[in-house]
Amino acid sequence: MGMVTFVDETTAGGRGDGWGLEIAEERLALRELIRRRVFHEVAEYHARRPEVFQGLVQPEGAERTLNGYALRTPRRIDPQQQTELALRAFGRNGFLVLVGDRQITGLDEEVALPLGVEVTFLKLVALVGG
């Protein structure tokens, strides 16, 4: 079992604190890696119940805030629905995924997960006028 570190970055140069997730497999399809990340984020949100959800993608019915997404009315977030939103966002180039220094381009692409690997989710930000 190895620790994978997830890091969120933006094209504006922002870099979040990384967080780790233990993954037993040495290789996973990107689709499954995203699913596990999202399920972990949702489980952490339900366990702690913070005011703001800090996840890969915005839950439906939530408003973007400085530090994440605020739900208009407190409720449980469906991890499967969040996964589907994340997979669609990847397909629309809402974010890129880098494993080490290699960009992963397809959801079914197998990702090598050596011990201590860093997986970066580079969130693409629309530019003014673009």
Side-chain angles (χ1 to χ4, degrees), residues 30 34 57 84-97 103-108 121:
L30 178 59
I34 291 172
V57 293
E84 290 168 13
L85 289 171
L87 295 174
R88 283 197 304 267
F90 179 82
R92 291 188 322 267
N93 295 317
F95 61 89
L96 303 176
V97 178
Q103 182 179 347
I104 308 302
T105 58
L107 287 171
D108 296 319
F121 289 78

Side-chain angles (χ1 to χ4, degrees), residues 35-49:
R35 188 192 74 75
R36 290 192 192 183
R37 176 201 163 137
V38 170
F39 268 67
H40 180 78
E41 290 172 342
V42 170
E44 287 290 310
Y45 173 78
H46 290 153
R48 293 190 334 247
R49 286 296 196 187

Side-chain angles (χ1 to χ4, degrees), residues 61-83:
E63 296 176 9
R64 185 181 305 268
T65 66
L66 181 61
N67 297 323
Y69 308 104
L71 298 172
R72 292 183 187 129
T73 54
R75 63 177 167 81
R76 293 191 61 79
I77 296 173
D78 179 358
Q80 187 60 43
Q81 185 178 22
Q82 274 306 104
T83 298

